[in-house]
Amino acid sequence: MTDSNTTTLSAPISLPREYKGLLSWITTIDHKQIGILYLAMTFFYFLVGGIEAIFMRIQLAVPNNTFLSPNSYNEIFTMHGTTMIFLVVMPMLIGFANYLVPLMIGSRDIAFPRLNALGFWLLFFGSLMLYFSFIGGGAPSAGWFSYAPLSEKPYSATPGLDYWALGLLLMGVGTVSTAININVTILKYRVKGMSLKRLPLFVWMVFINGFIILFALPPLNAALVMLLVDRQLYAHFFQAVAGGSAIMWQQYFWAFGHPEVYIMILPAWGMISEIIPVFSRKPIFGYGFVAGSTLAIGVLSFAVYAHHMFAVGLGHPFNIAFAFSSMAIAVPTGIKIFNWIATMWGGRIRFTTSMKYAIAFIVLFTIGGLSGITFAVVPIDWQVTDTYYVVAHFHYVLFGGTLFGIFAGIYYWFPKMTGRLLSEKLGNWHFWLTFIGFNLTFFIQHFVGLLGMPRRVYTYPNLPGWGWMNMVSTIGAFVLGISVLIFLWNIFISLRKGKPAGDNPWEAWTLEWAASSPPAPHNFELVPPVNGRRPLWDLQHPDTPDWKLNKAES
Amino acid sequence: MTNSPFNGVSPQAQAISHVFIISLVVLAFILVLVLGLVLFVMIKFRGREGEAEPPQIFGNKKLEITWTVVPGLILVFLFILTVIYANRSDPSVPKGRQPDLVVIAHQWWWELKYPQTGVVTANEIHMPVHKKWLVRIESADVIHSFWVPRLARKMDAIPGHPNHIWLESDSTGTYWGTCSEYCGAQHAGMHIRVIVQNQKDFDAWSNEQQQGPNIPQTGDAAKGQQLFDQLTCLNCHAIKNIGPNLTHVGSRETLASGVITNTPENMARWLHNPQAVKPGCNMPNLYLTNEQVKYLVAYLEASK
């Protein structure tokens, strides 16, 4: 192993760009500005989707409530799901990748900066297309999964579903182009010394995620086109009465829909794999196993989708095959949980807000993962599918998992993006209210589901247990609402008065912390030498660099 | 009694309950292990100001293999359970076995046909205790799902794809169920009841259903019958099958697919404006006069 000198990057592609003013945000092709655009837009939609959730919880607070009409409720739950998946979780993670990947691999920008801007604006206008439906004849109301034939013209006559399909198509094209863009960047623009084996785990997971996006989005886009042709040109891909197949929609949709679940969690795993080591003051335990298990998940994620279809009646052999693959995918997921815990083992844990979110992530994601296994036990699925038990399960994965990971990431990288630290005091309030509110809202939904309450009902009769359990859940939702307000205040006040962060407030080890905070438009003047996975550790500890401590893997 | 799947009253539902409990015990053990480890690590390895960096450990192959193989074995165990209990809770259908009951899901009610007797009814399944019935599940429009938690697995009702399940009960009583695949505006208002009777009571019910109802030839009920024929009721309630068959509607416990109990007051409320009782349902407000409603209620409640 040679100790190469500091790497000098080629001269910036163009002169440093104008970085201020509204116009710069619209015309920007800088990956950091585009990353922040993603984060700002997705955070806005997080508030919109959250307000939709509050509306739903008010309606469900008591039995036989009439706060919302059935149609309004159905529109709102459809938009809540569509928004949170397509306009919050997925693009928020892409936004992080956009901002962080070039910095983490010591690059000046992303491979195709203009394509990158196009990807964002396709998402932006796709989202407007989707929300325009509210004033364009009614929002879609067939659920985020829009099962045919309910989504066909005879049963959904308003144009809501057309806006839904067109909006999703625009976003889908944007997402695929951005995934290609990021993966080309990772393959071609790594700084000298940054071999694939030395990639930060966040970059690894984003890289694998890119391939999942590349293969998972086309089935959705194809199905959306077929649905549009059905609705607009009176074809009958999904209409059984005319010789089509309603089940075919489900096959296409879940061929996208389950890999999508992994698209929404992989980058969050990546964040956790960056944050836990730094705040435990130890390298990640079993780098190879964490990266390798993610690769296994990337492949397996395409082979498990039909566990969404166990109640369709496709026969035991079909169900059992997908039960097997769904159980198999739990193994590489479990590996990560144990590796994160082993990373903390023997460390010197610093309980920053970011770390609190990361540790809560491990616990909540484990609960969501274990309840997920019950669906792979096919007979259990036959009872609990399409009940509130499922709602509880996937909120533990996507909120307790991904969103907690995202909050950990925001507290961790906010100083890099803005130059100021978020308030730890407000962060502590934010964390505990989120943690309590989240569990209050969703834990009890396991039980209301086990008492027979189906999903996607705008109201419910006063059957044993349902009333008070739903009330608890609604109270939890309001606690969550308050926690979000505190978070907004924290961002607002810290942007103005937050403590200056310096380049590396957490004494972290990956390359983005070698740039200034916020980074200059061209990211780096000089990039430190990369001789291992933790270039800044090597710089801080010239006597005990990684390549001396860990001869086996560097 | 609650409508929990743990409360099964048929061999099939009890099989699901068993495998559910075994799985939960196994998974709870893993959860306690993870929670315990996280708590231990948080307490034991809390960092303090000014401490030096801890020893840098990069991994351990033996440990990695342990937490790959052990969960793998647990999952193999759960997989074997899955195969066994999938067959116990949903036994295969012998070739040539004809269904005892056909359930046809509609937006937003259940049509029920008894092929052996020709009885047609809606929303309330009557069946004898201790009989293992084969039920064929179909849909007339969009996808629905037939689910009576205490009796059997859930099964989707899919247009163009008929499905079968076994329905059985070890004790008499009324068992609640509901549509559990989102099916549009009134998905929430699509309940089903299974009324399990002893053989004698069931036979009596079945015989009654096979004969026409005894409508008095004079009075309000007779006027109601006339109205029923004159107004457009039959367009949907018999000819196009958009609404349920009402021949014996007076004998049912509930109206509007379990949304309201079947009382004369509720029937009148429904006839005055169905959209106020079940917003979005397919029956429009027919703007009936109070008198018309009175006669129709008398007729329909007499249709036992």
Side-chain angles (χ1 to χ4, degrees):
Chain A
M1 184 56 57
T2 57
D3 197 347
S4 64
N5 292 323
T6 306
T7 310
T8 313
L9 294 182
S10 59
I13 304 156
S14 58
L15 290 171
R17 287 176 284 269
E18 182 56 55
Y19 223 38
K20 289 196 177 89
L22 184 64
L23 195 65
S24 80
W25 288 97
I26 294 171
T27 58
T28 186
I29 53 167
D30 175 80
H31 74 97
K32 299 181 292 301
Q33 259 184 312
I34 292 174
I36 286 172
L37 283 174
Y38 268 105
L39 295 180
M41 183 193 127
T42 53
F43 194 73
F44 169 75
Y45 278 111
F46 174 65
L47 298 180
V48 173
I51 290 166
E52 286 161 350
I54 292 277
F55 272 39
M56 286 153 69
R57 284 314 322 167
I58 294 173
Q59 166 66 14
L60 295 176
V62 290
N64 301 313
N65 201 2
T66 53
F67 172 72
L68 293 174
S69 74
N71 276 328
S72 308
Y73 183 89
N74 294 342
E75 287 178 2
I76 285 174
F77 89 70
T78 300
M79 291 299 274
H80 170 77
T82 307
T83 301
M84 288 305 195
I85 288 165
F86 291 100
L87 296 178
V88 180
V89 172
M90 186 161 56
M92 201 179 264
L93 294 169
I94 288 174
F96 270 106
N98 229 303
Y99 194 101
L100 293 171
V101 164
L103 285 166
M104 285 182 147
I105 61 174
S107 163
R108 288 228 182 277
D109 204 324
I110 216 151
F112 311 111
R114 282 187 175 76
L115 182 67
N116 197 21
L118 178 72
F120 170 76
W121 290 107
L122 281 172
L123 173 77
F124 181 81
F125 286 107
S127 78
L128 292 189
M129 174 82 88
L130 177 66
Y131 267 87
F132 182 76
S133 63
F134 272 111
I135 49 172
S141 60
W144 87 278
F145 53 98
S146 286
Y147 270 9
L150 182 64
S151 54
E152 296 278 9
K153 206 97 192 206
Y155 306 106
S156 296
T158 62
L161 265 151
D162 302 304
Y163 287 116
W164 180 85
L166 285 167
L168 257 54
L169 262 177
L170 281 180
M171 298 173 206
V173 173
T175 305
V176 170
S177 72
T178 304
I180 295 172
N181 206 343
I182 290 176
N183 277 13
V184 171
T185 309
I186 295 170
L187 283 172
K188 302 299 288 183
Y189 286 76
R190 298 189 310 275
V191 73
K192 194 178 148 201
M194 177 76 73
S195 65
L196 284 176
K197 275 177 71 182
R198 289 177 185 167
L199 280 182
L201 280 170
F202 176 75
V203 180
W204 246 117
M205 304 225 185
V206 166
F207 184 58
I208 294 167
N209 205 32
F211 286 105
I212 306 182
I213 289 174
L214 214 51
F215 293 111
L217 266 288
L220 173 70
N221 291 348
L224 290 172
V225 171
M226 285 188 268
L227 180 64
L228 279 170
V229 172
D230 269 13
R231 289 178 58 87
Q232 296 297 328
L233 305 175
Y234 303 98
H236 34 70
F237 285 105
F238 305 121
Q239 292 216 60
V241 278
S245 164
I247 297 174
M248 188 169 76
W249 168 269
Q250 298 189 22
Q251 303 271 14
Y252 272 91
F253 188 81
W254 291 119
F256 148 77
H258 202 83
E260 170 70 10
V261 173
Y262 290 93
I263 292 170
M264 291 192 284
I265 192 75
L266 252 67
W269 286 342
M271 294 178 177
I272 296 298
S273 305
E274 297 298 330
I275 290 165
I276 284 182
V278 167
F279 292 120
S280 305
R281 310 308 302 157
K282 280 177 61 206
I284 187 82
F285 191 91
Y287 174 99
F289 283 88
V290 176
S293 62
T294 311
L295 190 62
I297 285 170
V299 175
L300 277 172
S301 71
F302 288 92
V304 299
Y305 73 90
H307 65 223
H308 294 265
M309 298 166 63
F310 285 158
V312 170
L314 295 171
H316 284 332
F318 181 88
N319 291 343
I320 295 294
F322 280 95
F324 184 81
S325 57
S326 303
M327 287 189 180
I329 206 167
V331 174
T333 311
I335 290 175
K336 279 191 239 303
I337 301 272
F338 288 115
N339 276 306
W340 290 324
I341 295 173
T343 305
M344 294 195 285
W345 192 282
R348 307 261 190 274
I349 300 174
R350 297 179 184 169
F351 289 96
T352 58
T353 306
S354 176
M355 186 61 170
K356 284 176 203 158
Y357 269 110
I359 294 173
F361 169 99
I362 297 179
V363 171
L364 301 177
F365 181 74
T366 301
I367 295 175
L370 292 174
S371 65
I373 292 174
T374 59
F375 298 106
V377 180
V378 179
I380 301 179
D381 179 272
W382 287 335
Q383 281 284 17
V384 297
T385 189
D386 279 311
T387 69
Y388 261 86
Y389 183 88
V390 181
V391 178
H393 155 72
F394 72 74
H395 280 96
Y396 266 82
V397 176
L398 286 180
F399 195 141
T402 305
L403 264 174
F404 271 65
I406 284 173
F407 279 130
I410 291 175
Y411 280 90
Y412 183 70
W413 280 296
F414 184 88
K416 179 51 58 188
M417 295 175 179
T418 65
R420 288 181 188 276
L421 292 159
L422 281 166
S423 156
E424 282 291 314
K425 199 174 154 204
L426 286 170
N428 195 42
W429 276 98
H430 174 223
F431 168 75
W432 283 108
L433 283 175
T434 309
F435 186 77
I436 293 165
F438 168 79
N439 284 296
L440 210 53
T441 309
F442 294 109
F443 196 71
I444 204 155
Q445 290 185 357
H446 291 110
F447 298 99
V448 77
L450 290 176
L451 289 178
M453 182 160 164
R455 297 170 72 176
R456 302 169 181 137
V457 288
Y458 78 96
T459 191
Y460 54 90
N462 195 9
L463 287 169
W466 292 19
W468 71 267
M469 287 187 174
N470 273 292
M471 181 53 90
V472 169
S473 188
T474 299
I475 292 167
F478 276 92
V479 176
L480 275 178
I482 294 167
S483 81
V484 172
L485 292 181
I486 290 176
F487 179 63
L488 276 175
W489 176 247
N490 196 354
I491 297 238
F492 177 81
I493 202 78
S494 299
L495 274 174
R496 275 156 195 77
K497 299 182 176 165
K499 259 193 278 175
D503 290 354
N504 191 359
W506 315 121
E507 301 173 86
W509 304 305
T510 37
L511 286 181
E512 78 271 28
W513 302 102
S516 59
S517 300
H522 53 284
N523 287 354
F524 299 98
E525 298 295 341
L526 296 168
V527 179
V530 179
N531 295 317
R533 288 177 194 140
R534 299 190 296 169
L536 302 198
W537 167 277
D538 297 350
L539 219 57
Q540 293 153 8
H541 303 87
D543 299 334
T544 53
D546 272 0
W547 55 271
K548 272 190 193 162
L549 293 172
N550 183 29
K551 288 210 167 73
E553 301 218 19
S554 58
Chain B
M1 284 297 259
T2 61
N3 297 302
S4 154
F6 295 114
N7 241 340
V9 288
S10 72
Q12 291 78 303
Q14 278 157 0
I16 300 182
S17 160
H18 289 161
V19 71
F20 205 162
I21 289 167
I22 300 169
S23 307
L24 283 182
V25 169
V26 173
L27 297 173
F29 168 76
I30 300 174
L31 180 61
V32 168
L33 177 76
V34 170
L35 281 179
L37 281 173
V38 168
L39 278 178
F40 176 79
V41 163
M42 281 169 67
I43 294 163
K44 170 96 188 184
F45 300 108
R46 167 181 280 274
R48 282 168 191 79
E49 283 292 316
E51 267 182 324
E53 302 280 26
Q56 303 294 298
I57 314 239
F58 293 83
N60 180 325
K61 283 232 168 70
K62 271 186 198 151
L63 273 175
E64 297 283 358
I65 290 166
T66 311
W67 59 56
T68 306
V69 172
V70 174
L73 291 176
I74 294 173
L75 287 162
V76 167
F77 168 71
L78 287 178
F79 177 71
I80 293 167
L81 280 187
T82 303
V83 176
I84 295 170
Y85 279 92
N87 286 304
R88 281 194 200 166
S89 53
D90 188 18
S92 57
V93 179
K95 260 212 170 115
R97 173 77 150 82
Q98 292 304 304
D100 303 279
L101 173 69
V102 178
V103 174
I104 304 166
H106 293 254
Q107 280 183 322
W108 293 276
W109 59 284
W110 305 90
E111 183 183 359
L112 307 169
K113 289 179 170 172
Y114 294 74
Q116 270 85 338
T117 54
V119 168
V120 178
T121 179
N123 303 327
E124 292 170 12
I125 295 173
H126 285 252
M127 69 179 289
V129 71
H130 295 308
K131 283 278 154 64
K132 192 174 169 189
W133 271 16
L134 184 66
V135 181
R136 184 179 156 98
I137 295 167
E138 300 174 12
S139 167
D141 38 52
V142 302
I143 298 178
H144 304 268
S145 194
F146 178 86
W147 186 40
V148 185
R150 297 185 63 192
L151 298 186
R153 62 164 290 186
K154 181 176 287 144
M155 183 59 101
D156 287 356
I158 299 169
H161 180 90
N163 278 323
H164 291 86
I165 59 164
W166 297 104
L167 201 59
E168 183 176 2
S169 173
D170 290 338
S171 65
T172 57
T174 301
Y175 300 97
W176 168 90
T178 185
C179 175
S180 52
E181 181 62 86
Y182 176 65
C183 57
Q186 270 295 343
H187 169 53
M190 205 172 151
H191 304 284
I192 191 155
R193 276 168 175 70
V194 180
I195 298 160
V196 181
Q197 299 166 301
N198 59 43
Q199 189 69 44
K200 212 178 93 201
D201 291 349
F202 173 76
D203 289 341
W205 174 84
S206 184
N207 283 334
E208 246 172 50
Q209 297 287 311
Q210 288 171 61
Q211 287 148 22
N214 258 334
I215 309 292
Q217 290 309 300
T218 54
D220 288 355
K223 286 184 194 157
Q225 181 164 27
Q226 233 173 0
L227 274 177
F228 190 84
D229 295 341
Q230 282 166 4
L231 296 171
T232 49
C233 308
L234 283 170
N235 275 356
C236 293
H237 286 286
I239 297 163
K240 288 188 190 155
N241 223 3
I242 291 169
N245 184 311
L246 298 177
T247 316
H248 293 273
V249 67
S251 67
R252 292 177 201 156
E253 292 175 7
T254 61
L255 296 173
S257 203
V259 172
I260 44 177
T261 51
N262 186 3
T263 61
E265 296 75 43
N266 276 339
M267 180 76 89
R269 201 152 69 88
W270 172 259
L271 287 172
H272 270 301
N273 185 6
Q275 294 298 323
V277 178
K278 193 171 176 178
C281 74
N282 284 326
M283 181 159 163
N285 185 347
L286 294 158
Y287 296 98
L288 301 170
T289 64
N290 286 341
E291 204 167 45
Q292 284 174 320
V293 168
K294 188 178 134 200
Y295 296 149
L296 282 170
V297 169
Y299 165 59
L300 292 170
E301 293 296 343
S303 303
K304 293 196 173 175

